[in-house]
Amino acid sequence: MDVSEQLHENTQNIQENNQGTEARQVWNIDKSAELYRVSQWGHPYFSINAQGHVMVSPRGDNGSSIDLYELLQSLRKRNLELPLVVHFSDILHDRMERLHSAFSRAIAKYGYKGAYRGVFPVKCNNQRHFVKSVVEYGRDLHFGLEAGSKPELLIALSCLDTPGALLICNGYKDKAYMETAMLGSRLGKQVVIVLEQLDEVILAVKVAKRLGIKPVFGLRVKLSALSKGHWGGTVGTRAKFGLSIIDVHAAVEILRSHGMLDSLKLLHFHMGSQISSIANIKNALKEAGCIYVNLVKMGAPMGYLDVGGGLAVDYDGSRSDFYASKNYNTQNYANDVVAEINDCCALAKIDVPTIISESGRALSSHQAVLLFDVLGEGKISFGHIEPPAADAPHALRVLYEIYSEIGEDNYQEAFHDAVHYKKEASEAFQYGLLTLEQRAQADCLYWASCQRIQEIAGHLPDVPEDIGELESMFASIYYINLSVFRSAPDHWAIDQLFPIMPIHRLDEEPTVRATLADLTCDSDGKIDRFIAQKEDTSSLLEVHSLVPNASSAAEGPVGRGEHQPYCLGMFLCGAYQEIMGNLHNLFGETNAAYIEINPMGYSVKHIVRGETVGEVLGDVQYDAESLFENLRQQCETALLHGTIDLDKSQHLLNNFERGLGKYTYLTIE
Ligand SMILES: *Cc1c(COP(=O)(O)O)cnc(C)c1O
C-alpha cells in the first residue's frame, strides 16, 4: 500500500468511527424497544430499563421489577452456568389470575348462571416445581389439572390436593389407567374420565362395575368445525382423537343400556393448540353447545362443558391471525365462550353448565426465559485487495479488473462476470494452473466485488433477486452456547417463532445482523427465523458487535472466549419446549432457576442443575466407571510403550474424570 492509499484508508476509518459514535448517540432504549417489539409481545412482563437491560415485572403492572441482566450475574455467582432457563413463578400466578378474572368478568357481563373452572394440562409443562406452583396458586381459584397419560395421572393424583378440584383424565386409557382414576375419585377430588373411543366406553363400564364405583364420565367429541391453528389436525372427521357424532350416539346408548347414563356429566372438545383466529373458536363453540344441549335432552345429567385448550400466545406481537399470533385477547376469548354457551342453553331452555378450559400454552409460556451466551462470530472475511502481478493467471487479472470497475451502472453485469471468473479460477486450480495462494486471491477478489455490489445495491430500489441475497451471505453467524434440539425443539420441528433479543447493551445500537448457529454438528441446529413486522419473519436478527477483552484486543485476532460476555434471551418459551427437547449430540438438560418476588426483592426458590456429562452418558447406557477404567487401561499400555509419560497420562485421566461431573455445554473460564 502506498502512502496516499494508507492516508485514504485512515481517513475512512476515522469517518467510520465518527459515524459509529454519532449513531450510538442518537440510539436509545426506545429504539431498541421498537426494534425488538418488546411491548407488543412482552407487555406487561418485559420492558427495557435505563441501563439498557431487560426488566422483568413478574406481577405485571402491579408489582416490583427485576433487572434480568443483574439477576443473571447473581445466578452466575451461585455457580449456575449458561444456558439457563429462568422461571418467574409470579408470572404463572398472574397468568392464572388473569384468565380466571376474564371468565369472572364475562360471567358477570352475560348474567351467566354457572361457574368457571380452569384445569392445567400437565403435558404442557410437567416439571415438578412448575406443577406444584400451579396447584398452590390455583387453590383459591379452584384450579384443577388435566392428565393425558398414566404418568401424568399419577402426578395429578398425587399433587392435586385442592378439595373438590377437577382432575380431567384425557388420552388413551387401559384398564390400569381407568382403575387408578376411578379409585382416585374417592380422595376428595372431582375426577372425570373422558372417553375418547367406543372401545374405551365399554372398558370403562366394565372396570366401574368390577370396582363397584360410580365414576363421572365425559365424552370427547370430534367437531366438524375446522380450525386454522398451526398445530391443527386435532379436529375434523379424520382427527386422531375423539368420538364422531355417530360414536357419541352409540356411547350414550351403551351407557344407557348398562344403567350408567347418570354418570355422563361432561362434554369435551379440544381444537388444537395456538388457535390464532377467534372466528374458528366461535364456530367450534356453537357446534359443541348444540351437542351439549342434545346430550341433556337424551337424558344425561351433564353439568360440565370443557372447551379444551387452544388459547393462543402472541409470539410476534402482531395481534393478527398469523400463526405466531392471535387476533383476540383473553377477555374476548372468555366473552365468546360464555356468550355462545349461554345462548345455546337459553334457546334450549336448559341449565347452563360449569365451563372448564384447559389452557396450557397461554398460562405457561410467559414465565420462562432461556438465557444463553454468544461464543463467537463467523463471517466472510478477506484481506486487503492488491492488484495481481502482470504475469498472474488470466482469471485473477480479470477478477481484479471487474473489482476495480464496479459502479451503479454496471453492478449487475459485474456480479455475473465475477461469478463466472470465480468458477474459472476454481477450475484452473483443479487443473493445477493456479497455486493455492492464487486461488485464495481469486476468492478474495470475488468476495470483495460482491461486497461492493451489495453496498451499491443496498441503496437502490428493485434489486435483482440474486443480488438481494448477497445481504444474508455477508451477514454474521453468531455461535450460541445452546442446542436448538434441546431447548427450542419447536423452532426446529415446526417453524415455531419465539421472540429473541439481547438482554443488555440495549442503549447501544445493534450494528450487526446475524443468524444464530447452535453447538450441535447438525445443519438444522440454527435459528434463522425471527419475529418481524406484522405477519412476517426475518432471517436475520439485529445484534451488537462483540467487544474484545482489553487484554486480547492488543494481540491481534480474537480467540474463543476472548470477548466480553454477550447474552441473548429467548422469551415466551415455557410451554412444550424443555420436555420435547432431545439429547442430539448429547447436550443435556439445561440449568434452571425458579425466581419468586417478595417485599424485600426476590428469592431464588429452587435451583435445578442441568445434566452432567456422566448423567447424559448414562442416558445412553454408558457406565461412567467402566468408561474411565477402559481409558485407564489404555493409558497403562501407552505408558509401557512409552507413547505417553506419566504426567500427561494422569492429566488426561484427571480431565476425563472431572469432565464427567461437568455441564455438557461450553464453559468460558
Ligand atoms: C395439549 C392439550 C391442551 C393444551 O392446549 P394449549 O393449546 O396448550 O392450551 C388442552 N387439552 C388437551 C386435551 C390437550 O391435548
Side-chain angles (χ1 to χ4, degrees):
M1 203 187 302
D2 67 27
V3 180
S4 70
E5 266 183 68
Q6 176 86 55
L7 265 179
H8 177 69
E9 185 154 304
N10 285 348
T11 29
Q12 245 188 354
N13 281 345
I14 290 166
Q15 274 167 3
E16 271 168 23
N17 283 342
N18 280 346
Q19 272 171 4
T21 11
E22 252 167 53
R24 239 165 274 141
Q25 278 161 359
V26 295
W27 192 262
N28 56 38
I29 55 170
D30 295 334
K31 292 198 168 171
S32 284
E34 198 183 316
L35 175 66
Y36 297 111
R37 304 173 60 78
V38 184
S39 51
Q40 278 92 330
W41 56 259
H43 182 80
Y45 306 113
F46 303 102
S47 57
I48 300 175
N49 69 13
Q51 284 75 50
H53 300 168
V54 168
M55 284 286 275
V56 187
S57 311
R59 299 289 294 164
D61 309 320
N62 40 31
S64 57
S65 300
I66 303 175
D67 181 316
L68 185 57
Y69 187 67
E70 282 173 14
L71 172 65
L72 170 63
Q73 306 312 321
S74 91
L75 291 173
R76 282 184 140 165
K77 286 190 184 141
R78 291 171 167 91
N79 282 347
L80 274 176
E81 294 157 286
L82 292 170
L84 165 65
V85 179
V86 185
H87 295 270
F88 294 96
S89 313
D90 300 275
I91 294 187
L92 168 67
H93 196 174
D94 191 68
R95 300 298 296 170
M96 290 171 73
E97 282 182 352
R98 274 171 206 259
L99 180 64
H100 197 270
S101 55
F103 272 98
S104 301
R105 273 193 295 270
I107 283 170
K109 176 173 168 162
Y110 295 103
Y112 191 79
K113 299 226 163 48
Y116 165 76
R117 294 275 181 270
V119 294
F120 181 78
V122 173
K123 78 159 190 281
C124 187
N125 189 325
N126 17 34
Q127 262 127 4
R128 179 163 57 100
H129 298 306
F130 184 90
V131 172
K132 291 217 154 178
S133 295
V134 169
V135 172
E136 187 189 321
Y137 298 141
R139 227 179 283 290
D140 295 341
L141 309 173
H142 301 285
F143 245 82
L145 294 174
E146 184 262 5
S149 66
K150 275 191 275 189
E152 288 181 4
L153 174 64
L154 302 193
I155 292 174
L157 271 178
S158 172
C159 295
L160 185 62
D161 55 1
T162 306
L166 282 160
L167 198 175
I168 305 284
C169 303
N170 287 324
Y172 294 110
K173 300 166 198 74
D174 59 7
K175 187 163 144 269
Y177 185 141
M178 297 271 190
E179 276 186 8
T180 314
M182 287 182 201
L183 293 166
S185 67
R186 294 300 174 91
L187 303 178
K189 315 173 218 282
Q190 178 69 275
V191 178
V192 183
I193 297 169
V194 178
L195 304 169
E196 308 213 358
Q197 282 165 326
L198 272 189
D199 57 356
E200 230 168 69
V201 180
I202 295 159
L203 177 65
V205 167
K206 288 186 178 161
V207 173
K209 284 193 173 164
R210 216 173 298 139
L211 290 176
I213 286 179
K214 195 165 169 296
V216 176
F217 288 140
L219 294 182
R220 176 167 184 171
V221 63
K222 271 185 208 179
L223 298 181
S224 49
L226 284 179
S227 70
K228 194 194 163 188
H230 190 53
W231 287 257
T234 27
V235 286
T237 18
R238 290 286 299 156
K240 181 171 155 193
F241 312 98
L243 301 161
S244 68
I245 288 292
I246 301 171
D247 292 344
V248 168
H249 182 252
V252 169
E253 293 314 321
I254 294 170
L255 292 176
R256 196 197 301 281
S257 70
H258 286 88
M260 293 183 78
L261 191 56
D262 59 345
S263 277
L264 180 54
K265 297 199 174 155
L266 178 145
L267 177 69
H268 174 272
F269 71 92
H270 171 62
M271 298 176 69
S273 208
Q274 185 69 12
I275 306 298
S276 50
S277 161
I278 189 88
N280 290 322
I281 295 174
K282 280 197 209 194
N283 288 340
L285 281 162
K286 283 201 171 74
E287 192 181 347
C290 199
I291 297 169
Y292 180 88
V293 164
N294 275 280
L295 287 172
V296 172
K297 288 186 175 162
M298 288 169 84
M302 301 310 285
Y304 296 104
L305 178 51
D306 180 346
V307 301
L311 178 56
V313 166
D314 195 358
Y315 292 99
D316 73 348
S318 67
R319 290 174 208 175
S320 65
D321 67 355
F322 187 47
Y323 76 92
S325 185
K326 56 174 180 153
N327 65 1
Y328 57 92
N329 62 27
T330 308
Q331 191 62 57
N332 303 146
Y333 174 77
N335 287 350
D336 280 347
V337 170
V338 171
E340 293 292 345
I341 297 174
N342 211 23
D343 287 354
C344 271
C345 294
L347 211 63
K349 301 196 171 57
I350 63 164
D351 289 344
V352 296
T354 295
I355 296 172
I356 302 170
S357 81
E358 305 174 341
S359 295
R361 182 184 299 277
L363 296 182
S364 63
S365 293
H366 298 71
Q367 52 82 36
V369 183
L370 171 68
L371 301 177
F372 53 97
D373 49 339
V374 174
L375 298 165
E377 179 182 12
K379 63 180 169 197
I380 292 169
S381 70
F382 47 87
H384 182 68
I385 299 298
E386 287 180 50
D391 59 349
H394 176 247
L396 253 182
R397 281 181 285 123
V398 183
L399 277 167
Y400 185 75
E401 222 167 87
I402 296 168
Y403 168 74
S404 323
E405 288 167 9
I406 296 168
E408 224 172 88
D409 46 344
N410 73 346
Y411 74 90
Q412 194 177 4
E413 190 190 347
F415 178 64
H416 295 141
D417 289 349
V419 170
H420 177 84
Y421 284 99
K422 178 180 186 262
K423 190 159 165 265
E424 190 178 301
S426 132
E427 281 165 6
F429 178 64
Q430 284 177 45
Y431 290 122
L433 303 173
L434 250 69
T435 64
L436 188 128
E437 190 188 357
Q438 288 167 331
R439 166 82 203 277
Q441 281 171 358
D443 280 11
C444 284
L445 281 166
Y446 171 76
W447 286 115
S449 303
C450 287
Q451 193 180 50
R452 271 198 184 173
I453 291 163
Q454 198 239 324
E455 278 161 15
I456 290 171
H459 302 294
L460 300 175
D462 282 340
V463 174
E465 202 179 313
D466 47 0
I467 291 176
E469 282 166 9
L470 283 176
E471 191 197 356
S472 45
M473 299 280 288
F474 281 104
S476 292
I477 300 174
Y478 270 30
Y479 296 99
I480 55 175
N481 196 11
L482 184 77
S483 158
V484 169
F485 302 92
R486 159 56 62 195
S487 295
D490 277 353
H491 181 88
W492 159 63
I494 52 172
D495 292 350
Q496 158 89 312
L497 284 174
F498 294 102
I500 297 173
M501 64 182 282
I503 65 159
H504 59 137
R505 294 178 65 185
L506 293 161
D507 50 351
E508 266 176 62
E509 183 173 11
T511 50
V512 179
R513 304 189 75 204
T515 58
L516 309 179
D518 81 355
L519 289 177
T520 63
C521 309
D522 189 312
S523 51
D524 276 354
K526 64 181 178 199
I527 302 177
D528 60 359
R529 253 169 298 105
F530 303 95
I531 64 165
Q533 297 307 311
K534 221 172 168 65
E535 303 198 27
D536 201 3
T537 61
S538 163
S539 62
L540 299 173
L541 178 71
E542 277 84 359
V543 286
H544 300 87
S545 58
L546 299 178
V547 180
N549 288 337
S551 55
S552 52
E555 294 165 13
V558 179
R560 160 100 15 106
E562 291 182 343
H563 61 78
Q564 289 170 23
Y566 186 57
C567 182
L568 301 172
M570 179 184 286
F571 294 81
L572 311 187
C573 56
Y576 303 112
Q577 296 315 289
E578 280 155 85
I579 195 62
M580 303 240 278
N582 62 49
L583 273 177
H584 195 16
N585 260 155
L586 299 185
F587 288 107
E589 279 162 20
T590 54
N591 287 325
Y594 289 76
I595 307 299
E596 214 173 69
I597 51 170
N598 57 39
M600 274 125 71
Y602 65 83
S603 58
V604 183
K605 205 170 166 215
H606 308 286
I607 282 178
V608 181
R609 298 239 165 240
E611 283 171 296
T612 62
V613 171
E615 284 165 338
V616 162
L617 291 174
D619 287 344
V620 282
Q621 304 92 44
Y622 292 95
D623 171 45
E625 252 175 61
S626 39
L627 285 182
F628 182 78
E629 178 57 19
N630 254 338
L631 194 77
R632 192 192 65 76
Q633 301 213 354
Q634 288 184 48
C635 282
E636 291 299 334
T637 314
L639 280 169
L640 272 182
H641 290 89
T643 56
I644 197 167
D645 65 27
L646 188 52
D647 275 353
K648 291 201 175 62
S649 109
Q650 201 48 44
H651 194 162
L652 173 61
L653 289 173
N654 288 347
N655 270 1
F656 191 99
E657 201 169 21
R658 227 174 287 134
L660 287 171
K662 290 224 164 130
Y663 206 22
T664 57
Y665 296 89
L666 268 58
T667 41
I668 301 209
E669 293 172 5

